Amino acid sequence: MGLFSRLGLGRSSSRPSSRGSRGGRRPTGPDSAHLAEFAATRTGVEAYVEPATSVTPTTLVLVAQDGEWTRRRVPDPATARDFARRTGIPVYDVNLTGYPQRMREWTARKRREEGAS
């Protein structure tokens, strides 16, 4: 079973999950591929789980060592934690830890760069 087939990210939470031979959820599209690519091509990546709200589904934010970040939907917090465990990156509950300062600094730097061009 390959990495993408074990991630199980990008599935709509309203659809039933299908289980693989080892109990992992099956992947469903570009969200899982994007997260896996981000984690594999950046250094010092950490995962932050954002709980579902009445407006948004559960999401996973990956933050690299330099502060670059990305956010994608995940079916549930357990899937997000499973992704982090399988890729060997630390995972945090954003309600308990907040976002890292380097993420805010990276966003501010990008805004300044876009405004200057």
Side-chain angles (χ1 to χ4, degrees):
M1 183 180 284
L3 175 64
F4 291 134
S5 63
R6 293 189 311 241
L7 297 179
L9 302 176
R11 174 177 293 271
S12 169
S13 60
S14 63
R15 291 174 31 193
S17 65
S18 59
R19 301 266 179 195
S21 61
R22 292 203 251 171
R25 293 187 175 109
R26 301 239 181 246
T28 59
D31 289 344
S32 63
H34 175 79
L35 290 170
E37 186 272 336
F38 187 93
T41 59
R42 273 70 171 188
T43 58
V45 175
E46 296 176 330
Y48 293 83
V49 180
E50 298 175 316
T53 68
S54 60
V55 179
T56 61
T58 302
T59 53
L60 181 62
V61 177
L62 299 183
V63 182
Q65 186 176 10
D66 67 354
E68 181 183 4
W69 60 274
T70 190
R71 174 185 289 122
R72 292 294 185 271
R73 293 175 299 192
V74 292
D76 52 53
T79 302
R81 287 188 295 276
D82 185 52
F83 168 80
R85 187 173 37 258
R86 290 175 189 264
T87 55
I89 59 177
V91 60
Y92 305 101
D93 180 335
V94 78
N95 283 340
L96 300 176
T97 64
Y99 297 100
Q101 181 63 34
R102 68 183 184 278
M103 179 181 169
R104 291 187 287 278
E105 291 167 354
W106 185 87
T107 301
R109 195 168 50 250
K110 287 295 177 187
R111 285 187 182 145
R112 282 192 305 271
E113 290 171 4
E114 289 174 5
S117 40

